[in-house]
Structure formats: C-alpha cells, structure tokens
Amino acid sequence: MSLSIDFSKSMVLKKMEISKDKSRKALNTLLEGTGEGNDFLGWINWPKEYDKDEFDRIKKAAKEIKDHSDVLVVIGIGGSYLGAKAVQYALSPYFTTNDVEIIYAGHQMSSSYLKELMDYLEDKDFSVNIISKSGTTTEPAIAFRFLKQMLEDRYGKEESKKRIYATTDRGKGALKGLADEMNYESFVIPDNIGGRFSVLTAVGLLPLAAAGVDIDALMEGAALGVKKYKNLDFDDNIAMQYALYRNILYKEGKTIEILANYEPKLKYFSEWWKQLFGESEGKDGEGLFPVSVNFTTDLHSMGQMIQEGKRNILETVLRIKNPKHDLIIEEDPKNLDGLNYIAGKSLDYVNKMAAKGVAQAHFDGDVPVVEITMDELDERHIGELMYFFEISVGISGYILEVNPFNQPGVEKYKSNMFRLLGKPGYEQK
Ligand code: PA5
C-alpha cells in the first residue's frame, strides 16, 4: 500500500530544490514543539499512542448501537463531524446503508432539517452521539436539546441514557457537566488535539465504528503516516514537498487551491480538507483559499473558470489507482451512440484518460497540477492520507508564519449572534 505524489506539472520543481530547507525547518519546528500553537500537537503521535482502553470502549459502544438502533444521529459541527463524514462517505457503498444508518445533525441551524429529521426518526430506533470539544457550541447544543427530549419521550429517562454517547473534553464545558450528571457513556477529546485534527480520536472513531468502518485499519494507515511523514529528509517526505510547493506558488500569486477528485466518494473528504487548510492557514491576512471540485461532474460547471478564468489557481488532484469496481464497455453492433471506439476499454480507464487530459489542459492553461495517488480507496490509505494532510498543513502554516492550530476569527460571528439573541454577557454596548 502507498501514497504517491506527482509534481511533474507543479511548475516549481527547481524552486522546490532551492528552498527545501524552509520546509525542513518548519517540520523541525513542528516536531520539536517550538512553534506557535505548540500546546495542540497531540495529534502528531496519536496514531501510535492513542488510548487503547478507550479504543476498546469505542468498539463496544459501536456494537451496542448496532444492536439497538437503526440510526445513529451524530451531532457536531466543524472538526466535530467533518472527519467522520469524510471517511464514512469515502468507504461506504453508494446505494445501500450500513448496518446502522448514520445521519449528521447540529452542523447548521436549519429548522426544516431538524424537523424533517425528527419526523424521519419517528418510526426508527435511534441513538445519539453528541460531539463537542468545548461543549458549548450553539448549533450542536440546540440539536441535542431536541433529540434528547425525543429520546426521553420515546424510551423514558433511564432507558434513553443508554442511547446517548457524549464525546467531549476530559474535564470542562457544559456537555461534560451534562454527561456526568446524566451518566452518559463518555469519550474524551484530548486537550492537546484541536477539532480539525481530531478525526482519529473518539470524535471520528465512534461514528465510523458504528458505520462498519474498520477503525483498526484506519489507525494502522495513520500510524504508517507517522513513520513516513515525520521524516526530515525532504527528498523522502512528500508531506514536506507538498507543503513547500503550495507555499512557493502562493508567493507567486496562486492564492486559490482546488482539491479535485475523480471519485465522488471523496466529496466529503474534500470538505474535511477545506476545513483543515482553511481554518489552519486563513489568518493574519494570509492563506490559500481552499475549494473543491468533483470531476468529471464539475468540468461541466467549473471547468471553464479553471481553464480560462483569473490565473490565481493551483490544483491538487486526489487519484485512486485501483477502483473498487470496474466495468468493461461492450461493442454495440449498431454503434448509434458512436462509442465503439472505446469498446473493450474499462470505464475506469476512460475516467483516467479524462484525468490525464484535464491535467494537461490545466497545466497548459497556467494552472499547476499536482496529483496524489492512493493505490486503493480503503481504511489504510484514508488513514495515511489524513495524517499526510495534517502534517502538511502544520508544516505549511509554519512556512507561512501563521499559527496553524488556532481559529480566533471563528469567534467573531458568535459574539454578534449572541448579542442579537440577547445571551447574558453579550449585551449591546
Ligand atoms: O477545528 C475546530 O476547532 C472547530 O472547527 C471546531 O471543531 C468546531 O467549531 C466545533 O467545536 P466544538 O467541538 O467545541 O463544538
């Protein structure tokens, strides 16, 4: 198994060679814990040092959920749900549900969504995993208040407690207090792991185990990442290379990074990636703006813009070498659709030729393209890929000279909203 990266269309190979020391220095700062935000570096060795007892409890809870529920409602926002959704969507079949259907809530405040979800749950057995590190975030707190009430009405106060799993801080926050008071089964988000770096903690692992994902293999993949991407040899560490490449181009005016895929199962992986890079780098007036596209679908909507719009884009493509399934295109005697020229070829071959053609066209149109290839789309590769991006963003943030581990700007909307809602302590001055 492996991840590989192709920089042949990056446009900056020579420049990377010249400034590779920058990347090495940034990785060193990260590993030595001497940079800003160094109290949030628990994720670096986590895939090797995670709490094995808690891991077993997660598996046990997942089994309980499978035994007594049709649906698990995962309540959380930002780093408290995107990782689980990314991995679950990447590894689940398109048209059948797993043993337990996973539904996400508390990641927006749509009254229609919540009402329709409650209607949907009316004739289903369900459990809730409420996830919030701070334990005070408004969106999940509101969704939890409604669903907790629904569980209590349905199963009674005592029984409903067995259907609520809380993932939160070890000691502080409203959710921690509530979980202790109500005696919910609880899991910990370590103090030194921030939300967007928490997918491999109980935050991601409990919903994923309930969804039938092999969480042992996911952790093994991430542990392989630890071995590979903490390596200070630039020529042998693609995370250092990727971090440097995007920073060189950023300084040259490429201020937007598009993450593209040719497999729609990766759609939510891109959402996770956008938060990881956007929230880590977008501060102090700096940062590449992360966006995502799903090809070939979006070639028919965004393709024009990428090919000929403002030349401030770089493109990172996620590719899968061996698809889970493939189909051979058969010869048709009449050939009315004109497709016989690809008869005998596989659909994945056609998809790959499209990718090749697109990469060349974008490169010719002054869009640097870097391709990251996974041999397979499975737990091990996804675990490694997530770790790869986590360490890359740490290195990249330090090259950019921002603190990659805080998100002060997120508070701005909250204080305005709290003032408008009349929350005590936020009165109009
Ligand atoms: O990455 C982050 O820190 C944020 O996206 C948080 O995960 C998000 O705001 C949710 O916070 P909490 O888990 O405290 O409810």
Side-chain angles (χ1 to χ4, degrees):
M1 73 168 264
S2 71
L3 270 193
S4 56
I5 193 159
D6 179 356
F7 285 104
S8 58
K9 296 187 175 64
S10 69
M11 301 181 182
V12 289
L13 273 173
K14 278 206 187 102
K15 289 179 188 158
M16 279 167 74
E17 186 55 34
I18 295 164
S19 47
K20 61 189 185 186
D21 249 9
K22 265 192 189 165
S23 202
R24 193 179 298 119
K25 219 172 122 208
L27 177 57
N28 201 41
T29 304
L30 188 67
L31 298 182
E32 304 242 296
T34 49
E36 273 194 280
N38 56 6
D39 40 351
F40 283 100
L41 300 181
W43 55 273
I44 294 181
N45 291 321
W46 181 256
K48 292 197 152 177
E49 294 173 356
Y50 63 91
D51 178 341
K52 309 292 182 300
D53 291 337
E54 179 166 88
F55 196 77
D56 289 341
R57 266 198 316 120
I58 289 171
K59 286 185 180 170
K60 207 168 138 251
K63 182 171 180 317
E64 256 169 41
I65 294 168
K66 285 183 197 170
D67 288 345
H68 63 44
S69 296
D70 306 313
V71 177
L72 173 67
V73 183
V74 177
I75 302 180
I77 194 166
S80 288
Y81 94 105
L82 281 166
K85 189 163 182 178
V87 181
Q88 187 225 327
Y89 202 80
L91 300 178
S92 298
Y94 278 112
F95 302 107
T96 47
T97 11
N98 306 307
D99 302 351
V100 180
E101 185 182 2
I102 310 292
I103 297 182
Y104 297 88
H107 54 292
Q108 23 73 358
M109 290 194 279
S110 160
S111 48
S112 302
Y113 184 93
L114 196 54
K115 173 69 174 69
E116 288 178 31
L117 170 60
M118 291 194 297
D119 291 347
Y120 180 74
L121 293 171
E122 210 47 73
D123 60 353
K124 305 209 166 39
D125 276 317
F126 72 100
S127 300
V128 165
N129 180 198
I130 165 75
I131 308 171
S132 177
K133 182 168 189 201
S134 63
T136 53
T137 309
T138 313
E139 291 90 336
I142 292 177
F144 184 54
R145 186 178 272 216
F146 279 96
L147 290 172
K148 173 172 167 285
Q149 189 61 53
M150 193 172 166
L151 280 172
E152 288 176 359
D153 293 345
R154 169 93 58 90
Y155 301 101
K157 243 190 162 100
E158 279 315 304
E159 236 358 75
S160 68
K161 288 182 190 171
K162 297 185 191 143
R163 291 175 175 271
I164 296 177
Y165 301 84
T167 306
T168 189
D169 189 85
R170 191 181 301 279
K172 56 182 187 301
L175 178 57
K176 175 64 185 157
L178 182 66
D180 285 352
E181 165 92 22
M182 303 296 283
N183 222 0
Y184 298 148
E185 172 95 39
S186 298
F187 299 96
V188 171
I189 311 175
D191 289 349
N192 57 358
I193 300 184
R196 59 190 174 275
F197 291 83
S198 70
V199 54
L200 299 170
T201 71
V203 170
L205 296 179
L206 178 56
L208 288 171
V213 168
D214 179 350
I215 59 172
D216 287 286
L218 187 72
M219 295 307 279
E220 279 164 29
L224 179 66
V226 176
K227 202 167 146 213
K228 285 164 73 173
Y229 307 126
K230 284 175 66 182
N231 175 6
L232 282 161
D233 178 355
F234 182 84
D235 298 324
D236 204 25
N237 185 340
I238 60 173
M240 263 202 273
Q241 295 166 18
Y242 170 64
L244 181 62
Y245 135 82
R246 55 199 302 287
N247 274 281
I248 292 175
L249 285 166
Y250 172 67
K251 292 287 176 220
E252 293 180 0
K254 303 287 188 197
T255 54
I256 295 174
E257 181 175 9
I258 299 180
L259 188 69
N261 66 69
Y262 286 81
E263 169 52 68
K265 281 180 196 274
L266 292 171
K267 176 176 171 178
Y268 290 104
F269 188 90
S270 299
E271 296 303 318
W272 171 82
W273 174 89
K274 283 195 281 196
Q275 186 205 0
L276 183 68
F277 279 80
E279 221 167 68
S280 299
E281 295 194 327
K283 51 201 72 161
D284 307 335
E286 297 286 355
L288 278 140
F289 193 88
V291 298
S292 61
V293 288
N294 305 296
F295 287 160
T296 58
T297 309
D298 292 338
L299 287 169
H300 299 259
S301 57
M302 297 301 289
Q304 173 62 36
M305 182 69 183
I306 298 168
Q307 190 67 49
E308 295 182 346
K310 192 166 164 65
R311 302 296 72 195
N312 57 355
I313 298 168
L314 66 99
E315 188 174 304
T316 302
V317 184
L318 289 181
R319 301 194 53 194
I320 298 158
K321 193 166 165 197
N322 307 311
K324 198 165 163 53
H325 306 285
D326 204 357
L327 296 164
I328 301 294
I329 298 162
E330 302 276 340
E331 178 99 16
D332 182 292
K334 289 202 170 138
N335 195 27
L336 292 176
D337 53 14
L339 285 180
N340 273 357
Y341 75 101
I342 45 172
K345 301 275 193 278
S346 83
L347 183 51
D348 185 60
Y349 173 80
V350 177
N351 200 19
K352 286 196 165 69
M353 289 308 103
K356 202 171 172 182
V358 171
Q360 188 63 49
H362 289 178
F363 176 69
D364 292 343
D366 192 22
V367 175
V369 179
V370 158
E371 294 176 333
I372 298 171
T373 302
M374 285 177 266
D375 283 356
E376 322 278 338
L377 183 56
D378 62 11
E379 282 85 344
R380 283 189 176 76
H381 285 86
I382 287 285
E384 184 185 338
L385 185 64
M386 287 184 134
Y387 189 82
F388 164 81
F389 278 128
E390 287 179 352
I391 204 132
S392 298
V393 83
I395 301 169
S396 189
Y398 283 150
I399 296 178
L400 201 57
E401 297 182 350
V402 300
N403 175 353
F405 304 111
N406 65 2
Q407 55 286 324
V410 181
E411 297 312 309
K412 298 276 173 7
Y413 97 90
K414 291 186 191 168
S415 46
N416 285 347
M417 176 180 76
F418 291 150
R419 180 173 43 73
L420 292 165
L421 289 170
K423 183 173 178 172
Y426 289 84
E427 292 80 7
Q428 187 99 43
K429 303 225 165 62

